[in-house]
Every structure is written in C-alpha cells, then in structure tokens.
C-alpha cells in the first residue's frame, strides 16, 4: 500500500507542473499588454512600466515561469494588485470558508443522493423511483444561480427560516482559531454560535450540493441495479440471507466503487464551482474572492486562486484512488 501511495504521489509531480504552467500562462493569454489590461486605457506610461516591473513582465517568458515556480514552492503566490497584500495570505484566510461550505454541500449530496439511489434501485419502477429520478433530472439541469436565488426568495424573504447571506449573524462573535466557524464554535464551547453557523450554512450548501446530489443519486441507482443482477447476489439470497444484509453488505459496497469516483470529482468541481454560490450568498470564501479579483482584473489573485484549487482537486483525486484500494483489494497499482 505504501508503495502504491508513493508511486501515486510521484505521478502527481508532472500533473502539478502542468497545472502551474497553465496557471502561469493565464496572465499571458490576455490579448495585448497585461499591464494595460489591469490599469486601463487611461494609465500613464510610467504607471504601466512600474506595473510591468512589479509583475516581472519585461523578462523572458521562461525566466518569468521559473521565478513563478520558485516563489510557489516557497509559498509565495505574489501580491494582489488591488490590496497589495500577499495572495497566499488572502487565500489562506478565505479557504476555510470554502472548505466548510464544500464539505456541507457534499454531505448533503452523499447522504440524500446515495439513499435515494439505493431505494430507487431496490424499488425499481415504483412511485419513489419515478419521483426521485425525475427530481434528479431536474436537479442536474437546474442552474445554480437560479436555484440559489429561489432558495433565498422562498426560505429567507417569504418564510424567514434561514439567513440570506454571510457565515454568522452580526450579533455572534467567536474567537478565530482555525477560521472554520463550526470548529471555532466547538473550541469556544459556544453552542449558540455553532447553531447560528450551521443555520447560515443550510441554503448555500443546498444550492451548491443539488447538482452533485442528483448525479450521485442517478449513479448509485444504475450501479446498484447492475450489481443486484450479479450471480453472487442471487447466491446470497438463495442462502437465505436477510434482504437488508444482501443490499447493504453485499450489493451496496460493490456498487459504491464507481460512485466514489464521482464523489471525488464532484468535490473538486464544487471547490471550483463555488464562485457563483459564494457570490450570491455573500460567502467570504475563495470563490467570491476570485470573482472580485476577476471583476477587478487582479490577475495575480486569480492566478493564485486557480493554482490552489487545481492542487486541491488533484489531491482529492489522489485520496479517491487510495480509498478505492481499501474498498476493492483487487485494484493494484499497475
């Protein structure tokens, strides 16, 4: 197992190098002079030259890349053109909010998606199967921004059940230790703050988790149906095992293998796709940070955000591959 993990880590090196090249070239794919794009048409020649020097745009491209790669290895992602603060520090400050939202969205997607998929497969062509698969089709087709706006309008404006934005109410104040509201609330022993933080998580997590929930539900159903037609399932039933034991011990474990791949991919996609959700719900995470950076043409911030999200995406896929080997010992590194 350790050899397998070591080889998978080595395979990440060329992937991460490719990701760094793409993130680096982003600023150079802009038509025209990047400094002109950042400062606008009315910028003076002196200001343009100062920004080119600041960004290192006057050096040959390969030198710029190696300088960028060296700084990345040191944890330096450059400075924001707008705030003049280190991009790495700004991303680190916002990353817990995005991780917290993404985990909450994935928990909703996995719990509801897997349950709906299993029940639909067991009760194939029943009213529940038809209803859940129709709901999954609607969910996977629904634009996130429209769903988010509808959730705010119905559950916040009309019913007043959930807050429309932010991570905590203005009246709640907890000491910041990890920047995860849930963890900091528990560390402070403040159950009111924990309840308030979870309450603020509900609407954005549902909005972000709807599409992966629909995908997981459909994937789980089709995978379960395929497994339940296998000979070993018929054998298990012929031996007189209880139906729940056949479904949850023999069928579900094997049916989850392709579903786990989808979960890993969806987790990475959610990290990158949180831009719209965080912007609508005023969630202070990396997605909203990148949206503001794009609007302000703060390319070092966009470059750093893309690089960080891509690295996390790669690491999540590595974790998925390792989890695969635990669930199915037949899978070996080849």
């Amino acid at each position: 197992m350790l050899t397998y993990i070591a080889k998978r880590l080595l395979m990440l090196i060329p992937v991460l190098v490719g990701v760094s090249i793409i993130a680096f070239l982003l600023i150079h794919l802009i038509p025209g002079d990047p400094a002109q794009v950042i400062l606008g048409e009315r910028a003076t020649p002196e200001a343009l030259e100062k920004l080119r020097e600041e960004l290192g745009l006057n050096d040959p491209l390969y030198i710029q890349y190696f300088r960028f790669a060296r700084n990345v290895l040191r944890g330096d992602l450059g400075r924001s053109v707008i705030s003049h603060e280190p991009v790495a520090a700004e991303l680190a400050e916002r990353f817990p909010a995005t991780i917290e939202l993404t985990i909450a969205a994935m928990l909703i997607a996995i719990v509801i998606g897997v349950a709906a998929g299993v029940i639909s497969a067991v009760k194939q062509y029943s009213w529940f199967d038809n209803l859940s698969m129709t709901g999954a089709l609607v969910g996977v087709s629904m634009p996130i921004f429209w769903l988010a706006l509808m959730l705010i309008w119905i559950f916040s404006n009309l019913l007043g059940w959930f807050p429309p934005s932010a991570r905590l109410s203005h009246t709640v104040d907890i000491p910041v230790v990890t920047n995860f509201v849930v963890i900091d609330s528990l560390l402070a022993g403040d159950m009111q703050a924990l309840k308030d933080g979870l309450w603020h998580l509900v609407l954005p997590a549902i909005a972000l988790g709807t599409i992966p929930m629909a995908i997981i539900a459909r994937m789980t159903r089709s995978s379960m149906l395929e497994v339940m037609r296998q000979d070993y399932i018929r054998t298990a039933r012929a031996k007189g095992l209880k139906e729940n034991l056949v479904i949850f011990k023999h069928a579900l474990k094997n049916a989850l293998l392709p579903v786990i791949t989808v979960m890993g991919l969806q987790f990475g996609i959610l990290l990158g796709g949180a831009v719209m959700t965080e912007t609508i719900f005023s969630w202070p995470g990396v997605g909203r940070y990148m949206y503001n950076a794009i609007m302000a043409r703060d390319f070092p911030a966009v470059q750093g955000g893309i690089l960080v999200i891509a690295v996390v995406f790669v690491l999540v896929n590595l974790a998925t591959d390792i989890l695969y080997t635990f669930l199915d010992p037949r899978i070996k590194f080849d």
Side-chain angles (χ1 to χ4, degrees), residues 136-158:
L137 183 61
V138 173
V140 82
S141 310
M142 198 179 301
I144 289 182
F145 73 91
W146 184 85
L147 175 62
L149 293 174
M150 287 298 100
L151 289 172
I152 291 175
W153 180 55
I154 295 172
F155 294 103
S156 183
N157 292 350
L158 292 182

Side-chain angles (χ1 to χ4, degrees), residues 217-266:
R218 293 173 66 86
M219 190 73 187
T220 303
R221 178 184 182 273
S222 62
S223 184
M224 278 290 291
L225 287 175
E226 184 179 343
V227 169
M228 289 172 70
R229 297 189 185 104
Q230 299 297 316
D231 291 339
Y232 65 88
I233 296 296
R234 280 193 287 271
T235 303
R237 283 174 171 154
K239 288 165 62 179
L241 293 179
K242 293 181 179 178
E243 187 64 16
N244 286 342
L245 199 62
V246 173
I247 292 171
F248 292 106
K249 183 177 180 182
H250 295 276
L252 183 58
K253 182 179 177 182
N254 292 295
L256 280 180
L257 287 174
V259 180
I260 286 173
T261 304
V262 173
M263 291 177 187
L265 290 173
Q266 288 300 316

